[in-house]
């Protein structure tokens, strides 16, 4: 049945993607036949679907990188990407194993869509106001896809090293015959910030557009906040997080599972700024993920999903994970694995406030999420034992790890914290009797290899580790 459902899902996805490609009708290469703004806008009217985040979450020691496979089975095959991720073994030739990479390929595919919109909109038929808004949406999306790329395939941004370390190509045109040269990390971030500037954000729709899976001003501000946050420019990141929250601050209410007996999350959930999901057939992004021991120990007994019981929320992993750890049995969770939600902005704002000495204000931001996650919740802001930055950051890190499961953000956060002496540390991977395996903050495992489908045709794509 799983194979049938997967086949149907893939067929539908390919049909949808081909319909977008048909719109592009490259004539000649890099140029499309779209000539009015309404047709160009259709390139924004889609569900953005990328590969799963299991490898990223595996490095961050949140979930196992391989689903439906026991740790013992994965560790028995040492010449694999999953083995390298679970053990941190830098001797595994990951570049040779990365024959392709759906994440890399999808990100640049969507970037090409955005470049078609940006390049053709000025000369298309339609109102200037609509042209400007559509171009602005495409630019913010282009910025976001490059942000995801540089954080997966390059080192963490650090002002001391960003000028000299390699990043990714920043593709801003539709000329497929032009070799796209890899830029430095600093150059990539400079281009990202240009594409999500205040001037660009001002052209976006002023309200939340998640019901249409389109990016409004809340999305634009959230993107700029997330970028500045990853650059460790926390004061600026807080400003834009607050702007995004002022427009849209709906949090997913999981307390409803107590009445329904099911944890469900729709593609059009109100807490999304813009959905960019991973692909797990039609079973939801959480279904089948197995928690590591480290993450499993952070689950709170009164978590609403824990209270659902066997077969509905967190359930027995049936041997696919470490003993005593949970697997998710909820099969209708369409989670925002690569996009942004209200919860992202609340947690980012919380960290910025805590770092700025506003401990209680930061904890109140976390409370705004966790009161919808924990039954009989006791607010952190009222806990008089949390008085220092270090204490508050530990609470934030543990809570955020659970909130951001099955997204790219546990990986991004840990890379960022690894460059700060106060919060860096080894990742200790233990799988029952297998381990411990240590991944240091400096390990090459934190940088994913460019796939051979890219490096064979672009000499500038030397690996960034």
């Amino acid at each position: 049945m799983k194979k049938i459902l997967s086949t149907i899902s893939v067929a539908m996805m390919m049909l949808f993607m081909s319909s977008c490609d048909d719109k592009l009708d490259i004539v000649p290469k890099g140029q499309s036949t779209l000539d009015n703004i309404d047709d160009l806008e259709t390139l924004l009217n889609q569900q953005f679907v990328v590969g799963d985040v299991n490898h990223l979450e595996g490095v961050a020691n949140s979930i196992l990188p391989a689903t439906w496979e026991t740790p013992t089975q994965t560790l028995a095959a040492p010449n694999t990407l999953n083995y390298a991720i679970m053990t941190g073994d830098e001797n595994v030739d990951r570049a040779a194993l990365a024959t392709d990479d759906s994440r890399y390929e999808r990100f640049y595919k969507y970037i090409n869509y955005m470049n078609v919109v940006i390049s053709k909109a000025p000369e298309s038929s339609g109102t200037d106001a609509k042209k400007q808004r559509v171009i602005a949406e495409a630019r913010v999306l282009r910025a976001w896809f490059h942000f995801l790329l540089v954080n997966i395939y390059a080192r963490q941004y650090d002002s001391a090293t960003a000028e000299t370390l390699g990043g990714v190509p920043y593709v801003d045109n539709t000329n497929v015959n032009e070799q796209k040269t890899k830029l430095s990390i600093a150059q990539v971030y400079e281009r990202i910030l240009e594409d999500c500037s205040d001037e660009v954000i001002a052209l976006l729709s002023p309200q939340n557009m998640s019901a249409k899976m389109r990016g409004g001003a809340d999305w634009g501000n959230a993107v700029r906040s997330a970028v500045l946050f990853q650059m460790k420019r926390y004061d600026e990141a807080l400003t834009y997080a607050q702007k995004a929250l002022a427009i849209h601050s709906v949090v997913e209410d999981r307390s409803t599972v107590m009445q329904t007996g099911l944890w469900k999350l729709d593609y059009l959930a109100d807490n999304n700024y813009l959905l960019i999901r991973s692909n797990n057939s039609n079973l939801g992004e959480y279904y089948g993920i197995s928690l590591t021991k480290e993450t499993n120990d952070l689950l709170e007994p009164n978590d609403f999903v824990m209270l659902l019981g066997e077969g509905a929320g967190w359930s027995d992993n049936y041997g696919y994970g470490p003993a005593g750890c949970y697997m998710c049995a909820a099969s209708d969770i369409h989670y925002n694995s690569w996009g942004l939600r209200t919860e992202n902005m609340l947690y980012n704002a919380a960290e910025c406030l805590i770092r700025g000495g506003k401990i209680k204000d930061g904890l109140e931001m976390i409370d705004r999420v966790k009161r919808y996650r924990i039954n009989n919740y006791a607010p952190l802001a009222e806990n008089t034992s949390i008085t220092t930055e270090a204490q508050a950051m530990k609470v934030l890190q543990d809570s955020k790890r659970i909130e951001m499961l099955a997204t790219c953000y546990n990986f991004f956060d840990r890379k960022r914290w690894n460059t700060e002496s106060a919060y860096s540390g080894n990742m200790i991977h233990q799988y029952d009797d297998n381990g411990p395996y240590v991944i240091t903050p400096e390990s090459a495992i934190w940088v994913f290899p460019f796939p051979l489908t890219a490096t064979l045709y672009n000499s500038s794509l030397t690996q960034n580790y």
Side-chain angles (χ1 to χ4, degrees):
M1 177 59 69
K2 285 178 186 174
K3 289 182 179 178
I4 292 171
L5 290 173
S6 179
T7 301
I8 293 171
S9 177
V10 169
M12 291 298 292
M13 182 184 73
M14 293 304 293
L15 179 63
F16 178 79
M17 293 300 292
S18 65
S19 68
C20 286
D21 289 341
D22 290 345
K23 287 282 188 183
L24 289 172
D25 283 338
I26 306 300
V27 194
K29 284 187 176 182
Q31 300 177 28
S32 79
T33 58
L34 301 174
D35 58 6
N36 70 75
I37 195 62
D38 292 331
D39 283 345
L40 283 167
E41 191 178 19
T42 62
L43 295 178
L44 305 178
N45 292 334
Q46 61 179 290
Q47 285 188 30
F48 295 106
V49 184
V50 186
D52 66 48
V53 297
N54 292 9
H55 282 169
L56 277 66
E57 283 281 66
V59 176
N61 203 24
S62 297
I63 67 176
L64 299 188
T67 53
W68 314 116
E69 189 173 286
T70 70
T72 300
Q73 288 173 323
T74 304
L75 295 170
N79 195 37
T80 63
L81 288 172
N82 285 335
Y83 176 90
I85 288 165
M86 287 179 67
T87 64
D89 188 347
E90 296 180 40
N91 293 318
V92 175
D93 191 348
R94 293 179 297 138
L97 293 171
T99 54
D100 57 14
D101 186 332
S102 64
R103 295 161 303 198
Y104 185 92
E105 291 150 10
R106 280 297 179 96
F107 289 143
Y108 276 116
K109 181 185 187 77
Y110 291 139
I111 287 168
N112 185 55
Y113 287 179
M114 299 310 109
N115 286 332
V116 169
V117 172
I118 293 164
S119 64
K120 292 191 69 67
E123 304 303 321
S124 66
S125 60
T127 67
D128 287 342
K130 186 168 187 178
K131 291 179 191 179
Q132 290 178 343
R133 177 175 56 76
V134 169
I135 291 171
E137 282 189 51
R139 289 190 66 182
V140 174
L141 275 165
R142 182 171 70 182
W144 185 248
F145 290 128
H146 282 103
F147 172 78
L148 296 173
L149 283 159
V150 77
N151 278 284
I152 297 170
Y153 301 100
R155 292 282 183 181
Q156 163 63 30
Y157 178 93
D158 190 87
S159 58
T161 59
E163 293 283 357
T164 57
L165 293 179
V168 298
Y170 203 94
V171 181
D172 62 359
N173 62 69
T174 59
N175 183 358
V176 297
N177 293 317
E178 175 189 274
Q179 186 179 96
K180 314 303 181 185
T181 304
K182 183 176 76 172
L183 304 180
S184 70
I185 293 174
Q187 289 172 318
V188 173
Y189 270 90
E190 181 182 348
R191 300 291 302 277
I192 290 170
L193 289 174
E194 288 174 0
D195 269 343
C196 62
S197 66
D198 288 332
E199 294 75 16
V200 173
I201 295 170
L203 297 171
L204 297 172
S205 174
Q207 72 270 10
N208 175 264
M209 301 282 285
S210 65
K212 297 181 181 179
M213 296 191 179
R214 294 281 294 277
D218 53 348
W219 158 251
N221 282 297
V223 166
R224 190 167 179 85
S225 175
V227 173
L228 292 165
F229 186 72
Q230 200 67 12
M231 297 175 76
K232 295 176 284 187
R233 290 162 58 172
Y234 297 113
D235 289 345
E236 296 170 85
L238 176 60
T239 296
Y240 288 96
Q242 290 170 330
K243 287 182 178 181
L245 290 166
I247 298 169
H248 193 73
S249 58
V250 176
V251 174
E252 177 203 350
D253 184 1
R254 287 186 201 161
S255 69
T256 59
V257 307
M258 302 300 289
Q259 289 76 49
T260 65
L262 294 171
W263 181 25
K264 297 182 67 175
L265 190 64
D266 188 71
Y267 289 127
L268 302 180
D270 287 340
N271 61 323
N272 288 330
Y273 288 125
L274 189 138
L275 175 72
I276 306 174
R277 66 184 182 88
S278 62
N279 180 27
N280 187 25
S281 183
N282 64 334
L283 298 171
E285 284 64 35
Y286 261 61
Y287 182 73
I289 64 171
S290 293
L291 301 183
T292 62
K293 183 69 166 60
E294 182 175 358
T295 304
N296 199 85
D297 289 347
L298 296 177
L299 286 175
E300 299 182 48
N302 283 336
D303 188 307
F304 287 122
V305 180
M306 288 283 285
L307 297 174
L308 283 174
E310 186 71 20
W314 293 113
S315 301
D316 192 323
N317 64 35
Y318 305 105
Y320 287 111
C325 294
Y326 289 107
M327 174 186 282
C328 187
S331 60
D332 202 9
I333 309 300
H334 299 293
Y335 217 61
N336 202 342
S337 297
W338 299 100
L340 289 168
R341 307 172 289 142
T342 295
E343 291 85 349
N344 288 93
M345 289 300 100
L346 288 170
Y347 268 99
N348 285 10
E351 183 171 338
C352 294
L353 288 165
I354 290 168
R355 287 174 178 273
K358 297 180 179 179
I359 306 295
K360 185 175 181 180
D361 291 345
L363 295 175
E364 286 176 346
M365 290 288 184
I366 301 174
D367 287 338
R368 287 173 62 178
V369 178
K370 293 195 70 174
R371 68 182 182 182
Y372 294 110
R373 302 291 183 265
I374 309 297
N375 195 31
N376 299 319
Y377 180 64
L380 292 166
E382 297 175 11
N383 188 332
T384 56
S385 68
I386 306 174
T387 58
T388 67
E389 177 183 318
Q391 290 171 330
M393 280 291 290
K394 179 64 168 63
V395 169
L396 178 143
Q397 288 172 325
D398 290 348
S399 298
K400 191 177 184 183
R401 191 185 193 97
I402 298 299
E403 180 63 33
M404 297 299 160
L405 279 173
T407 76
C408 57
Y409 299 106
N410 285 322
F411 179 77
F412 290 177
D413 279 343
R414 178 46 57 191
K415 283 183 74 169
R416 179 171 52 84
W417 291 327
N418 277 345
T419 63
E420 302 177 297
S421 58
Y423 302 112
S424 66
N426 293 335
M427 300 298 292
I428 310 298
H429 292 202
Q430 180 77 48
Y431 314 101
D432 293 328
D433 295 331
N434 296 299
Y437 302 104
V438 179
I439 299 181
T440 67
E442 300 80 20
S443 172
I445 301 296
W446 293 104
V447 180
F448 279 77
F450 293 123
L452 287 169
T453 50
T455 57
L456 289 176
Y457 304 101
N458 188 338
S459 59
S460 80
L461 288 182
T462 53
Q463 302 296 346
N464 287 324
Y465 59 85

